[in-house]
């Protein structure tokens, strides 16, 4: 796997593959972060991958892609706001990750400017605010528009919203006729915590971090919502300007203050790299007390004539760099590992920790991802942490990297207590005690309890009443939640006893008058008779989608027959098991899921209880008229020349034939096109009739 190799080990072909993978990964990450305000990977991980991409491009310049992430800033724009083109592009910053990178930055600037090593060269060092950048255009002292960065060229017009932010003046005096002030919209940590508490109380979206909260709050269609959110703004840069207001960065920031903007008070003018790094450490030490999130310190060449000479690379200025903080880390003791069951049945291990402060936040839980992660492997079996496993009682290293869920990065085995045992991942669901299964290729074990499992039941019920399943009028997600909470509907069968058992209760519930109760009960009654395919799909069995439910229903026709087959198919040597697998579109994984569900006594009780309430309609065989192939089992193999596979299948089924994926003694016809291999051979051995595509079309009268 090239993604596990260091850049220097990559062959040219692997490098190309890696660049392709990274372009896709970073594109998705960009959209999630900028457009959806819902990051999928941590900032540190994003930076790591972007750096890897750049390293590969440096080693293999010829392989650099047209859509290289290196040349992109931000993300494509959403549809909601009008667009405004920036008169001066809004750029991003290059990154430094350690002191050496900063020294190199200074050296390259000196070289570019032709300055000796000891010639004076001042920088500003300002906290890198973790918010979103905004450009404010003032014409003759009046704010005319506020635009987000967008893709760097074109941003979103959020003027109305920006005008609700107290730190943003609507008029300024003493400024040049055109002045575009740029800076960062952010939310203070305390305000963020309060906002999330309110969001939770009102059942609204909870934000992952202050940055997302700021972005989500600014990009509201209704400016009064933005006004209700505690947003703030720091000014630190500029775009178009009709005449200079100073000849240094420091001087411009002073002017900004005079105009009435907030400028970050931890901005220093430094005379050399040593002072820069000292300021970096001072800010880093105070990070948790600043009251807002920062993710590094930005250094800018102070003299503006130098800035101009240095100019820009494709997306970043040469005169500035962001010195990023490493992910925040701390060591603590792992007190227990709990298993949580998600709404899809996934079993997730959670670390319970001796509380510890990481970056100003008290952490007492962290994710352990899955069984492999605890054991010291990734999902592909490669070692992580050099294969060190994590045991209860161990000292573990916690880190937070821009996101809310802390993670465990390392374990100190030298501090492990004698007798500490490797963690045994449970084989049963801690909520309902059903078997937890981990399928090949799946990184998590899942509870197989379905409706039986309280952790999953609500989601299952929502699926059950959903559009493609029972589609019950008046019974949607909200009602399911309400009725589940009250204990009125715990499993699907309860829905069909609802009218008999809870009509009284329901009439006492807010919003339920006679008419709506009547409508709901009618809706339920209308579904007491249900076609077999919808019934099967409603069960929400893993891997059994809408299409495969229809497939099974058509193949077996009746509920009784399905029960019979799935019961007997427990034995993998049975004819029923073979029959199940012979259905084109049913593989071993789906077969296993079906068989396990039907033969688990708890789940079977839930299914039978439901079925007892219903009339399950057989899927009537289509009227095939005088079709010669009705009821025949056929297999297509090789290349078909006059129709696609899907057309062939549909054509056969419309005439009452059953299309199977494998050849057995029961097969009636094998339709073999050019290139037919083992299936045709097997047909020959078994004496099954083999026909060409043309003969088949003849046979079905086409
Ligand atoms: S200067 C041409 N200064 O960081 C460079 N950016 O990673 C203009 N940021 O898009 C940016 N604090 O959103 C600058 N003191 C600061 C900053 C800062 C935060 C953000 C800004 C920018 C991003 C680049």
């Amino acid at each position: 796997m090239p993604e596990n190799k260091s850049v220097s080990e990559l062959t040219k072909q692997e490098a190309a593959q890696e660049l392709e993978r990274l372009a896709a990964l970073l594109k998705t990450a960009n959209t999630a972060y900028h457009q959806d305000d819902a990051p999928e990977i941590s900032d540190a991980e994003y930076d790591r991958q972007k750096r890897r991409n750049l390293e590969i491009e440096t080693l293999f310049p010829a392989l650099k892609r047209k859509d290289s992430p290196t040349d992109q800033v931000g993300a494509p724009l959403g549809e909601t706001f009008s667009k405004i083109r920036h008169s001066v592009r809004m750029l991003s910053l290059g990154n430094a990750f350690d002191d050496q990178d900063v020294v190199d930055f200074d050296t390259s600037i000196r070289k570019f400017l032709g300055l000796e090593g000891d010639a004076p060269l001042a920088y500003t060092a300002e906290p890198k605010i973790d918010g979103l950048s905004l450009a404010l255009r003032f014409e003759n002292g009046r704010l005319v528009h506020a635009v987000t960065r967008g893709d760097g060229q074109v941003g979103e017009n959020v003027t109305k919203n920006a005008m609700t932010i107290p730190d943003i003046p609507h008029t300024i005096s003493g400024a040049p006729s055109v002045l575009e002030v740029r800076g960062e919209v952010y939310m203070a940590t305390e305000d963020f915590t309060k906002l999330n508490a309110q969001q939770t109380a009102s059942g609204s979206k909870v934000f992952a971090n202050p940055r997302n909260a700021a972005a989500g709050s600014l990009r509201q269609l209704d400016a009064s919502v933005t006004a209700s959110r505690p947003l703030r703004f720091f000014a630190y840069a500029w775009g178009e300007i009709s005449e200079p207001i100073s000849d240094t960065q420091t001087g411009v920031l002073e002017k900004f203050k005079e105009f009435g903007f907030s400028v970050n008070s931890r901005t220093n003018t430094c005379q050399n790299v040593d002072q820069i790094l000292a300021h970096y450490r001072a800010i880093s030490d105070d990070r948790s007390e600043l009251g807002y999130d920062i993710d590094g310190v930005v250094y800018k060449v102070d003299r503006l004539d130098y800035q101009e000479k240095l100019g820009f690379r494709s997306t970043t200025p040469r005169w500035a760099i962001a010195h990023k903080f490493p992910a925040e880390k701390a060591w603590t003791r792992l007190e227990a590992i709990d298993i949580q069951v998600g709404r899809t049945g996934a079993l997730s291990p959670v670390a319970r920790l001796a509380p510890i402060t990481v970056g100003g936040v008290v952490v007492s839980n962290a994710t352990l991802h899955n069984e492999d992660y605890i054991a010291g492997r990734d999902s592909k079996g490669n070692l992580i942490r050099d294969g060190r496993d994590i045991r209860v009682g161990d000292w573990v290293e916690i880190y937070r990297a821009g996101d809310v869920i802390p993670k465990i990065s390392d374990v100190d085995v030298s501090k492990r207590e004698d007798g500490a045992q490797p963690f045994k991942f449970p084989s049963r669901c801690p909520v309902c005690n059903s078997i937890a299964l981990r399928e090949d290729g799946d990184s998590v074990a899942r509870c197989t309890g379905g409706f039986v499992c309280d952790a999953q039941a609500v989601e299952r019920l929502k699926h059950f009443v959903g559009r493609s399943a029972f589609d019950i009028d008046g019974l949607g997600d909200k009602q399911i939640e309400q009725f589940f909470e009250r204990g009125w509907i715990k499993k699907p069968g309860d829905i069909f006893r609802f009218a008999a058992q809870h009509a009284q209760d329901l009439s006492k519930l807010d919003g339920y008058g006679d008419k709506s109760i009547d409508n709901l009960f009618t809706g339920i009654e209308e579904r007491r008779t249900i076609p077999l395919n919808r019934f099967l799909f409603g069960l929400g069995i893993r891997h059994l989608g809408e299409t495969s439910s229809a497939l099974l229903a058509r193949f077996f026709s009746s509920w009784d027959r399905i029960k019979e087959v799935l019961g007997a198919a427990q034995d993998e040597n049975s004819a029923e098991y073979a029959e199940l697998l012979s259905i084109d579109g049913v593989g071993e994984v789906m077969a296993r899921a079906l068989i396990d569900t039907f033969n688990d006594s708890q789940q079977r009780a839930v299914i039978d209880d439901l079925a007892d309430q219903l009339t399950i309609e057989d899927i009537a065989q289509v009227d095939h008229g005088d079709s010669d192939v009705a009821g025949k089992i056929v297999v297509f193999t090789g290349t078909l020349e006059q129709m696609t596979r899907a057309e062939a299948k549909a054509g056969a089924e419309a005439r009452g034939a059953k299309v199977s994926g494998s050849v057995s003694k029961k097969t009636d016809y094998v339709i073999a096109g050019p290139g037919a291999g083992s299936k045709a051979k097997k047909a020959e051995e078994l004496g099954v009739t083999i026909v060409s595509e043309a003969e088949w079309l003849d046979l079905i009268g086409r």
Side-chain angles (χ1 to χ4, degrees):
M1 284 286 154
E3 64 212 64
N4 299 321
K5 284 192 173 173
S6 76
V7 170
S8 58
E9 289 172 345
L10 294 174
T11 64
K12 191 168 172 198
Q13 194 192 357
E14 287 171 336
Q17 276 173 16
E18 264 303 80
L19 290 177
E20 182 179 351
R21 182 183 74 86
L22 290 165
L25 184 140
L26 292 165
K27 185 164 172 239
T28 312
N30 264 335
T31 308
Y33 186 90
H34 291 282
Q35 214 162 294
D36 306 337
D37 300 325
E40 284 171 356
I41 58 175
S42 70
D43 295 356
E45 179 64 9
Y46 179 87
D47 287 341
R48 202 175 69 78
Q49 300 291 3
K50 197 152 177 183
R51 218 173 341 150
R52 180 172 170 84
N53 185 75
L54 184 63
E55 282 169 11
I56 301 176
E57 287 176 350
T58 313
L59 271 184
F60 300 92
L63 296 181
K64 185 169 168 185
R65 300 168 60 89
K66 277 215 190 77
D67 63 347
S68 163
T70 312
D71 298 337
Q72 278 155 33
V73 186
L77 299 159
E79 297 292 324
T80 329
F81 293 92
S82 70
K83 308 292 175 276
I84 291 184
R85 180 166 289 277
H86 297 294
S87 58
V88 175
R89 275 213 299 155
M90 278 186 96
L91 296 171
S92 166
L93 290 170
N95 291 322
F97 294 97
D98 54 29
D99 292 2
Q100 188 57 47
D101 289 349
V102 180
V103 172
D104 293 349
F105 168 70
D106 179 64
T107 310
S108 72
I109 286 179
R110 285 175 181 281
K111 199 168 154 211
F112 198 99
L113 295 174
L115 296 176
E116 296 295 322
D118 53 358
L121 178 58
Y123 295 92
T124 58
E126 344 170 346
K128 185 170 187 300
I129 316 299
D130 200 4
L132 68 153
S133 47
L134 188 67
L136 305 169
R137 187 179 177 91
F138 290 86
E139 288 177 7
N140 303 316
R142 274 191 48 247
L143 176 61
V144 291
H145 62 228
V147 188
T148 63
R149 180 167 72 172
D151 64 4
Q153 314 252 22
V154 177
E156 289 173 327
N157 179 356
V158 291
T159 312
K160 275 201 200 126
N161 306 43
M163 288 178 99
T164 70
I165 300 176
D167 285 341
I168 296 181
H170 297 185
T171 54
I172 56 179
S173 58
S177 57
V178 175
L179 169 65
E180 193 186 301
V181 176
R182 294 179 175 179
E184 201 85 351
V185 175
Y186 68 100
M187 195 178 281
T189 337
E190 194 185 339
D191 293 333
F192 163 72
T193 312
K194 274 193 216 145
L195 173 65
N196 260 357
Q198 284 167 14
Q199 296 285 102
T200 310
S202 64
S204 317
K205 174 178 166 180
V206 170
F207 295 100
N209 53 43
R211 200 213 78 90
N212 294 126
S217 300
L218 183 67
R219 295 172 69 247
Q220 288 286 334
L221 277 183
D222 178 354
S224 68
V225 178
T226 309
S228 73
R229 302 279 173 81
L231 294 175
R232 301 174 194 232
F233 181 80
F234 277 130
Y236 54 64
W238 60 96
E240 191 177 339
I241 188 163
S242 54
E243 57 194 284
I245 49 174
S246 173
D247 49 14
T248 60
Q249 175 80 22
T250 312
V252 172
L253 296 181
E254 283 306 318
K255 283 278 186 197
F256 283 174
K257 277 195 243 174
E258 285 171 25
F259 296 150
F261 288 97
S262 294
V263 170
N264 192 283
S265 65
R266 300 299 300 264
T267 304
N268 266 15
T269 312
C270 302
Q271 303 307 325
N272 52 45
V273 172
D274 285 347
Q275 288 185 10
I276 283 184
L277 293 175
H279 191 50
Y280 172 85
R281 289 191 228 299
I283 291 181
S284 171
D285 288 346
D286 298 344
R287 183 174 177 188
S288 60
E289 276 120 54
L290 292 177
Y292 45 84
D293 280 2
I294 63 173
D295 56 350
V297 180
V298 182
Y299 310 136
K300 298 172 188 168
V301 170
D302 197 35
R303 273 176 58 166
L304 300 188
D305 57 336
Y306 282 170
Q307 286 195 6
E308 199 166 329
K309 270 194 198 151
L310 284 156
F312 300 89
R313 293 180 217 94
S314 64
T315 62
T316 56
R318 274 196 202 87
W319 44 265
I321 198 160
H323 190 175
K324 291 288 201 81
F325 291 132
E328 295 173 82
K329 293 182 174 180
W331 286 88
T332 189
R333 217 178 88 93
L334 173 62
E335 298 191 322
I337 297 177
D338 286 350
I339 304 289
Q340 285 180 348
V341 187
R343 305 211 289 190
T344 59
L347 266 54
S348 321
V350 178
R352 305 293 180 203
L353 307 161
I356 174 98
T357 308
V358 190
V361 175
V362 178
V363 170
S364 44
N365 303 311
T367 174
L368 280 165
H369 305 286
N370 53 46
E371 183 176 5
D372 288 340
Y373 190 80
I374 298 175
R377 293 184 299 261
D378 69 12
S379 57
K380 297 184 186 96
N382 304 311
L383 298 187
I384 49 176
R385 301 182 301 270
D386 293 330
R388 290 188 292 280
D389 70 328
I390 294 174
R391 303 182 186 186
V392 173
D394 276 348
W395 281 85
V396 289
E397 187 186 45
I398 314 300
Y399 73 101
R400 285 176 66 233
D403 35 22
V404 276
I405 308 170
K407 302 188 171 96
I408 290 186
S409 45
D410 209 353
V411 53
D412 186 349
V413 281
S414 72
K415 289 194 180 154
R416 180 170 286 168
E417 280 164 24
D418 288 345
Q421 294 299 314
F423 181 71
K424 229 181 139 275
F425 206 86
S427 57
R428 289 186 171 268
C429 170
V431 175
C432 70
N433 206 34
S434 298
I435 289 174
L437 262 192
R438 183 170 162 191
E439 289 173 1
D440 276 355
D442 201 351
S443 62
V444 295
R446 291 172 199 276
C447 164
T448 55
F451 291 115
V452 171
C453 181
D454 263 355
Q456 299 169 66
V458 180
E459 289 311 304
R460 290 299 188 100
L461 285 164
K462 287 182 190 169
H463 168 86
F464 181 84
V465 299
R467 261 283 173 74
S468 306
F470 274 64
D471 191 21
I472 297 178
D473 263 357
L475 199 53
D477 289 1
K478 221 179 92 209
Q479 292 76 19
I480 287 288
E481 274 174 15
Q482 249 184 344
F483 302 157
F484 184 83
E485 221 169 80
R486 289 177 166 73
W488 300 344
I489 293 180
K490 286 284 193 188
K491 51 182 197 271
D494 295 341
I495 294 174
F496 297 94
R497 285 183 290 264
F498 196 50
Q501 294 182 344
H502 296 288
Q504 279 289 325
D505 293 328
L506 195 56
S507 63
K508 290 183 204 130
L509 209 64
D510 259 3
Y512 280 96
D514 288 350
K515 187 148 174 40
S516 52
I517 294 181
D518 205 43
N519 285 344
L520 172 61
F521 290 168
T522 312
I524 294 174
E525 277 321 300
E526 277 174 359
R527 291 292 183 267
R528 203 177 276 281
T529 301
I530 194 90
L532 179 57
N533 54 326
R534 281 184 178 259
F535 171 79
L536 289 174
F537 181 59
L539 300 180
I541 296 168
R542 200 163 145 73
H543 304 297
L544 189 67
E546 207 182 326
T547 315
S548 29
S549 301
L551 210 63
L552 284 182
R554 208 173 322 133
F555 195 90
F556 292 115
S557 311
S558 76
W559 173 229
D560 283 341
R561 176 80 183 121
I562 289 187
K563 279 190 292 189
E564 190 186 318
V565 170
L566 290 176
Q570 252 191 102
D571 172 4
E572 291 197 359
N573 296 318
S574 63
E576 284 80 1
Y577 186 75
E579 187 177 7
L580 197 56
L581 282 186
S582 78
I583 304 172
D584 199 10
V586 177
E588 274 176 36
V589 174
M590 192 200 295
R592 210 50 276 158
L594 282 164
I595 295 166
D596 286 348
T597 306
F598 274 75
N599 293 296
D600 174 288
S601 59
Q602 289 191 87
Q603 297 196 62
R604 185 56 185 271
V606 172
I607 295 173
D608 287 345
D609 169 63
L610 168 67
D612 284 349
Q613 311 288 322
L614 304 173
T615 306
I616 302 170
E617 288 177 322
D618 289 359
I619 295 303
Q621 295 292 335
V622 194
D623 180 5
H624 305 299
D626 54 1
S627 164
D628 285 343
V629 300
K632 302 282 191 232
I633 297 180
V634 304
V635 175
F636 290 96
T637 180
T639 314
L640 299 177
E641 287 165 328
Q642 301 188 45
M643 52 193 172
T644 64
R645 266 297 162 94
E647 284 164 357
K649 190 157 176 272
E653 286 172 353
R655 288 163 181 83
K658 291 180 183 176
V659 179
S660 164
S662 58
V663 178
S664 75
K665 271 192 290 201
K666 288 191 183 165
T667 312
D668 295 293
Y669 296 107
V670 168
I671 299 96
S678 60
K679 288 183 190 171
K681 201 157 154 243
K682 185 157 183 205
E684 228 166 87
E685 281 163 20
L686 295 173
V688 173
T689 313
I690 304 180
V691 297
S692 68
E693 186 180 354
E695 286 167 329
W696 168 253
L697 290 176
D698 243 9
L699 201 60
I700 63 172
R702 256 191 56 186

